[in-house]
Structures are given as C-alpha cells and as structure tokens.
Amino acid sequence: MTDNRVAPVVNQGGGVRVSDKEPEVTKERALAQGLTADEYEKAVAIAGRPLSWTELGIFAVMWSEHCSYKSSRVHLRKLPTTGENVLQGPGENAGIIDIGEGQAVAFKMESHNHPSFIEPQQGAATGVGGILRDIFTMGARPIASLDSLRFGSVAHPKTRYLVNGVVAGIGGYGNSFGCPTVGGEVSFHPSYDGNILVNAFNLGIVRSDRIFRGRAGGVGNPVIYVGSKTGRDGIHGASMASAEFANDSEEKRPTVQVGDPFTEKLLLEACLELMKGDAIVGIQDMGAAGLTCSTFEMASRAGTGIRLDLDKVPRRETGMTPYELMLSESQERMLMVVEKGREDEVRAIFEKWDLDAEVVGEVTGDGRVVVTFEGATVVDLPARPLAEEAPVYDRPRAESAKPKEGAPLDAASVPVPKDLAATLETLLGSPNLSSRAWVYRQYDQTVRTNTVRTPGAADAAVVRVKGTPKGVALTVDCNDRHCWLDPYRGAQLAVAEAARNLACVGALPIGVTDCLNFGNPERPEVMAQFAEAVEGIADACKILGVPVVSGNVSLYNETNGKAIHPTPTIGMVGLLEDVDATAPAAFTTAGDTIVLLGITKEEIGGSEYLALVHKREAGEPPELDWEREVAVQAAARRAIEAGLVRSAHDCADGGLAVALAECCIAGEAPLGAEIDLNGCGCPEGCEKPIRPDALLFGESASRIILSMAPEDVETVLAIAEEESAPAIVIGRVRGAALAIGIDGEDVLEVPAARLHQAWDRGLEKALGVGREAPRDPASPAAGPGKAGK
C-alpha cells in the first residue's frame, strides 16, 4: 500500500518543501507569516516532522490573533455566558436565546475593520455578508442588521472617502440581500484616522428545536462544499487583521474579499430549504481562513477528523495551489456535513438555486485533517491543537489603564459659556451629535415588513416576531472617549446605556454580543485597557443578569504605533412581550407633561461638550450608581408597558439640553417645550446648585426623559417611587421653541425650527457629502462619480 502522507523535501539550507513548486518552509518565513519562534517550534512538534508550505499557512492563520484569540482568552473567561434561556453561548457561529413560543433569536457582532480601511466599500460589504452567514448557518433567517462605525476626524483628508465607501458597502450588500438595517451608530475621532472601525451586527429568528451547529459528526458522512467558487481573494485576510498597520497599508488591497449579495441571497434560501429536512449533520460558514477554519473547527468540535480532496473544490481561477485553496477567503461559501446517502438531495436543492454543491471529502474517526491535491497529501495535522489549543498569552499589563488625562477635572479651569443657546446649537450641528439621516436613508430599513421602530425614531430598533405578539429590540452602543479615560467605567457605562436604550422602547434585556476593538496587545498599556474593559462588561452584565452569548475581538487596531481609543462596542437584544407597547424618542403631542427620571450631577469630564466647545478631552467619565440605573430602567419599562408614555429618550452624549432638543426636533414636525430645572439637578431641590453648563451639557448616567398626557403624570410618578427611581416634572410640550430655565430664571430659548436646521444637515455639512463623490487620496486611479443619495 502506498504511503501518501506528507513527505517534505529538506533542502541544504534547512528549508522544507513538499515539492519544488512550493517555497521553502523556514523559521524566517514562519515569522513573516505572524508566528513567533516559539509558536513555530510548537507547530513542528505537533506535526512531528517539518511542515509543508500549506501546513505553515494553516498554523499561521489558525493561531493568528484573529482566529485564536490567544491574547484575549484569559480575560474573556470572566464574562457571564450562561442563563436559563441561553440555547447557544460563545463558541459557535452565533449566540442563541430562547424567546418562548418555540422561537429563538440568533445574533452576533463582528468586526471588519482592517479590510474596510484598505478598501471601504468591499470591506464593509463583506463584513455584512459574513455576519449574515453567521446567522443563517445556525438555521435562522436574518431579519435585522445594525452597524457601529468609527471614523477619524472629519478634517482628515481620507475620512470623507472612507465614510462614503463604508456606507455604500453596507447599504449595497444589505439592500441587495434583502435584510433591513434598522439602527446603529456613527462617530468621529482623530484616534481612528489610521484605523476605522466597522462593526456589523445581525439578528435572525430560528425555531428553538431547529438549531444547526458547526460540527463534523458521523464517521463516513460526506463533506460538501456549497456556494460560490473559490478564487484568490482574501488570502491572508485573517493574518492582516492580526497585525497593526504601517505606511504600506494600501498595498494590502488584494487581501480584501469581494462580495456578491445576490449569490448570498441564493445561498440563504438554499440552506434554509435544506434545513427543513434532516439531512444536515453540521454546517459552517467559510469565513476567516476559509476552508482551513471550517474544516479544523468542525472536526475539532465533534472530536472527529476530515479528509479533504482539493481537486474537487469548485474554483473560478486556474493554477491555484493547495496553499491558496485552503486560505482563500472568497465569499458566499459554506461547508456542510450531511447524512451519507443524502448527497443527491443536497445537489438537487443547490442546483435549483443555481449554486455549486460538491462532495469534497468525508468525516473520519482519527481526529486529523488530511488534505490531498493532485494525488499527494499536502496536509496531515490533528484538528484539536490547531482549533482549540493555540498558545494562550496572559500578556503584561500596565499598572493603570487610565491616561494622565483621566485624572479628576479642575472645573475652575473650564469657563461657563456666556451664550448657552449658541452652545446648544453648536453641539447639535456637530459631527457626533447631528442627525444620521444621510447615512440610514441609504439603507433599506423595512424590507420583510418586520420593522416597527426605524432608525432615528427611537432609542433602540424594534422588530416584530411574526406569528406571535412579541417584539425584539436591539441596539449598539459605546462611548469611546469614556473608555479611553477609564476603560473599566467606560465599558460599564456602555452596557448601562445599551440597556437604557432598550428600556426606552419598553424592552427587557435578554442577551449581549460584543465587539472588542483595541490596539496592539503586545503593548502593556493596551493590554491593561482590554483587561479592565472586559472586567467592566462582565461586572455590568452580572448586575443586569444578561449573558454574553457571542462576540468578537479585534486587536492591532493601530498605525505606526498610534492606537485607537479602546472601543468595546456592546450589542444588546431585548424582548417585548407586546410589540405594540413601545415608545418613540420624540415628543408627539402638544400639552404633554415632561418627566425626568434620574439625577443630574456636576459631571463634565469626558463629555462631548468639553471636547467640542473647550477643545479638551479630560476628566473622569460620569459615575454609575447601579441601584439608580436599574431603578430608572425598570420605571421606564413599566410606564411604557402600561401605555402611559408617549415618548422616551435617554440622556447621553451632549447631556440633558441636547436630549431635550432631540425630543423636540426628531419627530415628524418640530415641537417646542418649556422646561424649568432645579439648579441642583435632583428632584429633592437640595439647594446645592451645580454649574449651568454641567446641568445642561454634562453626561450624567441613568437619566431618561418621558412625556405623557397630564392625567397620567401621577401614575407615572407613583411607578417611579415604587421602583425607587428619582423622578421630577420638568416641563411640558408647548410652543414653537425650546425654552429652558433654571430655578425660574431663563437661560436659553431657541426656536425648534432653528435647532432642527442645525441638527438635520450637520453631518452632511461637516463631510461635504451629497455632491461629488470623494476620491481616495492614496489612490490616483479612483474616478469621479456621485455620492450619497
């Protein structure tokens, strides 16, 4: 019997090749692919012999930061991941939470940061495509997408080009596929000049008894490749995402995948049709690292092996090598294991949808992934060590994660503006606080007719669960400035605000996914930021009783040694038992009474006001009193569920005055309001006045603005008292202007129409979008065209 196992040729220089067609495998080439010297030695020890070139590539991607989480695993173990309704936690393509009546929600958030900086339209598009596949791989039909986007300064020469490309990529893919983008966030800061963040979230509905997982079960079962053909796009994508940028980032364009949303739609329908039966044993998206990741992970989870014949892999390019076939990240592909004898059934369904379905291997019982090409074995490695036993590092951490700017703020060094009305208009028209309508109008928000609250209409998106009275609310949130000044508190504030956003539409939080975006973990100050942020998320989720069921870690987000702000983005999902019991953010009815839940304190540290008006990023983020936070959220939820609330809006970036202005101008038509605040910021009127700019623009946590009919005020206040939530009547919806007084003395009055004018086009004016399409300053070949809508 012929022994076809890998038999490398050892060259005189010590390098290793399977054949003369492959490069030599040397320690230097291993280092160039991202492995350390110790990791390379460990890889050779696992193989028990010198590595082939393809095996080196496999180790490099499977043990990359992007795939293995080798710098973050020790910290991620702190997160709460289980709960009574958790059907699937971390470790699969998406997390799943039971919502009753035989239904469950599958959801996850992923990053596509590096590709989107290099090629924004395709990078963002394939980020959307990847997260969609993560959801329908589990057997769920995607029904709602969110995105969290971070760009550099609006003054940076590349920002306009990146914004247009990313927005076009998200809209083009999601709209063509047919999944609505129902919410998200967009912000700007110079720390993202060299590394933008594109975090994509998707949620789908799945029957709780029809969940599919990525496992290669059943020795002898066929392994079937379905979807698009394999090309050379995306090779080294996972490795690129595991290294910081330098001045040559533009040269990495070939590593960015190219997506086709129409093919993905066909792939969705074919997979879901096949999933109605019982042919599928296991299924996994070919995402990062392509065939490599799917084969090794599926075999490892099941404790089996896979024999793979690369000659049978559908391809769209000639002359592809085993290395290229295994590492390609071509889009719209799946790998599945089906019951033996059901191959023709699979082929028939995929042929109906005009897609490839080829048997490329079989499940074995030896725990190894063996890959052949042109009759020779090019890979023969154990599955588990590569998929689950990558090196794990508890990297050195700085003593403090806080920068020197995070020290307590000397308030005396910050003068109170003379014109508070002009300050409010400046804030409303700024890039971080103005309307995002230019962005979300490019997205289909209502396809599939599930959307109840569209972008801009409420603090969280709301979609219905068809066939039931239930609704699902979803939001993404993170204040990166707070996280930079104090990673632990900033991460807690992100979790709290996400939950508060859900409370403002009447939803109870049921699950979290996160996208942890940080700089180079090999720098102790970055590792300290990461560790404290994860601890903050863990503590906050434990307090709220909300499990983290999925997520993503994106490290090395820095260029030439300059890291982004720590950005632990929180995606949170909530449940409404009655989808009709919800509330918009904007005031709806003249004459309504306005109630403020929570307490305003003298806190301007880390605020948008301090950064924009005083050009300072300093101080401590707002304090977080968890008892008050939980009480405020509970009071708002109960009042909304009882049908007593006509609008509910969280006070966050920009503070109370900005939130009140948004309530006046974010509806169908601007409405005025007359507001009188206690100078101390609390319901008791304790006669300890705080600065007027802190009262109006400080970002104290745990505050919600409610509006209601006058006859319902006492009932709402009674609910707040029962929940121990501070509450006070601060005014009424009246007139054509926002007029704010403090202890009876007028401090600002601005027509609502003027506030709307400043807010409505602020982002477009800052970016100069909607006219000639921007050109990539680094790419002279980029041509002119039309941008925006």
Side-chain angles (χ1 to χ4, degrees):
M1 181 175 179
T2 303
D3 185 356
N4 285 327
R5 291 181 303 170
V6 176
V9 176
V10 181
N11 301 292
Q12 290 182 352
V16 175
R17 290 181 290 177
V18 168
S19 73
D20 291 336
K21 296 179 181 179
E22 292 191 344
E24 296 180 23
V25 176
T26 64
K27 182 178 290 187
E28 289 70 30
R29 284 202 165 105
L31 297 177
Q33 291 214 21
L35 293 174
T36 67
D38 288 344
E39 289 169 350
Y40 175 62
E41 291 177 5
K42 182 177 179 179
V44 172
I46 288 171
R49 51 170 170 70
L51 301 176
S52 72
W53 178 244
T54 304
E55 289 173 334
L56 174 62
I58 287 171
F59 270 104
V61 294
M62 291 301 293
W63 285 4
S64 69
E65 195 71 60
H66 186 74
C67 292
S68 73
Y69 291 6
K70 57 190 176 185
S71 297
S72 58
R73 284 194 179 198
V74 295
H75 303 287
L76 297 177
R77 292 169 185 152
K78 300 174 184 176
L79 297 173
T81 59
T82 59
E84 182 180 352
N85 297 318
V86 176
L87 301 180
Q88 179 62 59
E92 274 287 345
N93 291 285
I96 300 182
I97 300 283
D98 195 330
I99 59 171
E101 300 188 45
Q103 301 273 35
V105 286
F107 57 94
K108 189 182 182 183
M109 184 160 50
E110 280 271 8
S111 64
H112 229 225
N113 304 335
H114 286 60
S116 298
F117 182 77
I118 294 170
E119 213 307 302
Q121 186 160 349
Q122 283 299 333
T126 51
V128 173
I131 199 65
L132 288 166
R133 289 194 302 279
D134 282 340
I135 300 306
F136 71 77
T137 299
M138 304 297 294
R141 179 176 289 278
I143 64 167
S145 290
L146 305 175
D147 51 67
S148 175
L149 311 177
R150 297 286 194 288
F151 298 99
S153 166
V154 292
H156 191 277
K158 196 166 183 174
T159 295
R160 182 182 169 206
Y161 159 76
L162 291 170
V163 171
N164 274 268
V166 166
V167 172
I170 292 170
Y173 204 102
N175 297 353
S176 300
F177 177 86
C179 184
T181 301
V182 296
E185 58 174 355
V186 183
S187 67
F188 300 85
H189 190 275
S191 78
Y192 305 103
D193 281 348
N195 287 263
I196 65 173
L197 302 184
V198 175
N199 294 173
F201 170 106
N202 190 262
L203 177 142
I205 300 293
V206 62
R207 279 176 47 185
S208 55
D209 63 347
R210 297 294 293 169
I211 295 170
F212 292 83
R213 294 174 171 86
R215 296 174 184 176
V219 174
N221 280 333
V223 176
I224 301 182
Y225 171 120
V226 300
S228 292
K229 291 178 169 59
T230 295
R232 290 187 171 93
D233 49 323
I235 295 173
H236 288 304
S239 300
M240 176 192 67
S242 305
E244 62 183 79
F245 280 155
N247 292 326
D248 64 349
S249 63
E250 291 299 325
E251 298 174 7
K252 298 180 180 179
R253 284 181 187 270
T255 65
V256 178
Q257 310 95 322
V258 178
D260 179 355
F262 301 103
T263 298
E264 178 121 326
K265 172 65 171 174
L266 299 177
L267 183 61
L268 162 76
E269 298 300 343
C271 287
L272 292 185
E273 181 175 340
L274 184 61
M275 287 169 172
K276 291 178 182 178
D278 58 358
I280 296 177
V281 175
I283 180 171
Q284 176 142 327
D285 164 38
M286 285 189 234
L291 268 169
T292 290
C293 201
S294 53
T295 50
F296 278 87
E297 288 187 351
M298 291 181 74
S300 179
R301 290 190 192 113
T304 59
I306 289 178
R307 179 172 289 273
L308 188 67
D309 184 354
L310 293 181
D311 296 331
K312 297 180 179 178
V313 171
R315 62 196 79 177
R316 63 171 185 265
E317 299 184 45
T318 60
M320 291 189 71
T321 67
Y323 183 98
E324 292 171 330
L325 288 164
M326 288 300 293
L327 271 65
S328 168
E329 294 184 9
S330 294
Q331 297 292 285
E332 293 89 38
R333 302 179 301 160
M334 296 279 194
L335 197 68
M336 61 175 63
V337 173
V338 304
E339 293 283 354
K340 190 173 181 61
R342 309 287 291 274
E343 296 91 334
D344 288 343
E345 181 180 337
V346 175
R347 289 191 188 97
I349 289 175
F350 280 84
E351 184 178 346
K352 167 187 170 183
W353 292 100
D354 199 24
L355 294 170
D356 285 307
E358 296 290 341
V359 176
V360 294
E362 67 174 1
V363 178
T364 63
D366 60 5
R368 303 182 72 82
V369 174
V370 178
V371 182
T372 60
F373 179 73
E374 295 180 352
T377 300
V378 293
V379 174
D380 187 349
L381 295 170
R384 185 175 179 82
L386 280 95
E388 299 182 45
E389 297 176 5
V392 175
Y393 300 114
D394 188 357
R395 296 194 184 275
R397 283 166 268 165
E399 290 186 9
S400 174
K402 300 179 186 178
K404 63 181 186 301
E405 293 86 351
L409 186 70
D410 177 11
S413 66
V414 183
V416 177
K418 294 181 179 179
D419 190 337
L420 295 171
T423 300
L424 175 59
E425 289 187 67
T426 298
L427 285 165
L428 283 172
S430 68
N432 283 336
L433 298 180
S434 55
S435 169
R436 269 66 184 125
W438 175 82
V439 174
Y440 62 70
R441 283 173 183 162
Q442 297 182 57
Y443 303 153
D444 192 327
Q445 307 156 28
T446 57
V447 62
R448 302 199 62 82
T449 67
N450 294 306
T451 310
V452 177
R453 295 291 178 194
T454 55
D459 282 20
V462 178
V463 293
R464 64 174 49 86
V465 181
K466 286 181 178 175
T468 78
K470 298 176 186 284
V472 175
L474 46 157
T475 185
V476 288
D477 203 273
C478 183
N479 186 314
D480 58 89
R481 187 182 293 115
H482 290 171
C483 293
W484 173 63
L485 293 168
D486 186 335
Y488 177 82
R489 190 187 297 180
Q492 286 212 317
L493 287 164
V495 174
E497 187 175 347
R500 208 179 313 132
N501 290 338
L502 298 181
C504 285
V505 296
L508 180 69
I510 59 172
V512 163
T513 183
D514 56 35
C515 207
L516 307 178
N517 307 274
F518 290 79
N520 185 343
E522 297 167 50
R523 294 202 289 124
E525 60 271 29
V526 171
M527 207 62 237
Q529 292 173 340
F530 183 88
E532 293 200 13
V534 170
E535 190 170 347
I537 294 170
D539 290 348
C541 289
K542 289 172 186 175
I543 290 169
L544 293 174
V546 183
V548 180
V549 296
S550 61
N552 173 245
V553 176
S554 176
L555 302 177
Y556 294 96
N557 290 290
E558 60 180 78
T559 298
N560 295 327
K562 182 176 175 56
I564 63 166
H565 273 177
T567 314
T569 308
I570 302 298
M572 191 175 289
V573 175
L575 183 64
L576 296 99
E577 293 297 334
D578 179 0
V579 72
D580 294 324
T582 183
F587 297 144
T588 63
T589 309
D592 276 357
T593 301
I594 302 167
V595 169
L596 176 64
L597 299 177
I599 293 173
T600 304
K601 305 175 73 174
E602 189 162 291
E603 297 174 308
I604 59 173
S607 65
E608 189 70 23
Y609 158 72
L610 186 67
L612 183 69
V613 176
H614 297 284
K615 312 303 179 187
R616 293 182 62 185
E617 293 188 290
E620 297 177 303
E623 293 181 357
L624 183 56
D625 181 325
W626 274 109
E627 287 188 9
R628 185 185 308 139
E629 179 71 50
V630 170
V632 164
Q633 292 184 28
R637 266 196 312 272
R638 282 186 57 190
I640 293 169
E641 289 169 357
L644 302 169
V645 172
R646 285 180 171 159
S647 74
H649 187 31
D650 168 35
C651 293
D653 300 349
L656 180 58
V658 167
L660 286 165
E662 290 169 342
C663 291
C664 290
I665 62 180
E668 293 182 3
L671 290 172
E674 295 178 353
I675 306 296
D676 193 7
L677 303 172
N678 282 341
C680 66
C682 65
E684 291 79 12
C686 56
E687 299 182 358
K688 293 181 181 178
I690 63 177
R691 298 165 48 126
D693 56 344
L695 184 58
L696 296 177
F697 310 121
E699 296 175 0
S700 293
S702 314
R703 296 179 298 166
I704 295 175
I705 298 166
L706 305 176
S707 70
M708 66 218 66
E711 60 267 25
D712 293 326
V713 173
E714 292 305 318
T715 306
V716 171
L717 293 177
I719 289 173
E721 185 175 6
E722 290 172 8
E723 296 292 346
S724 300
I728 187 173
V729 174
I730 60 170
R732 56 183 49 84
V733 181
R734 177 186 292 177
L738 173 61
I740 300 179
I742 299 177
D743 290 332
E745 182 178 344
D746 294 341
V747 294
L748 69 82
E749 182 172 352
V750 187
R754 199 164 90 195
L755 294 174
H756 185 271
Q757 185 177 18
W759 171 80
D760 186 49
R761 294 294 304 276
L763 181 60
E764 289 146 280
K765 289 178 181 178
L767 291 171
V769 293
R771 296 182 288 274
E772 181 185 348
R775 187 167 60 88
D776 179 357
S779 177
K786 296 293 183 181
K789 184 177 180 179

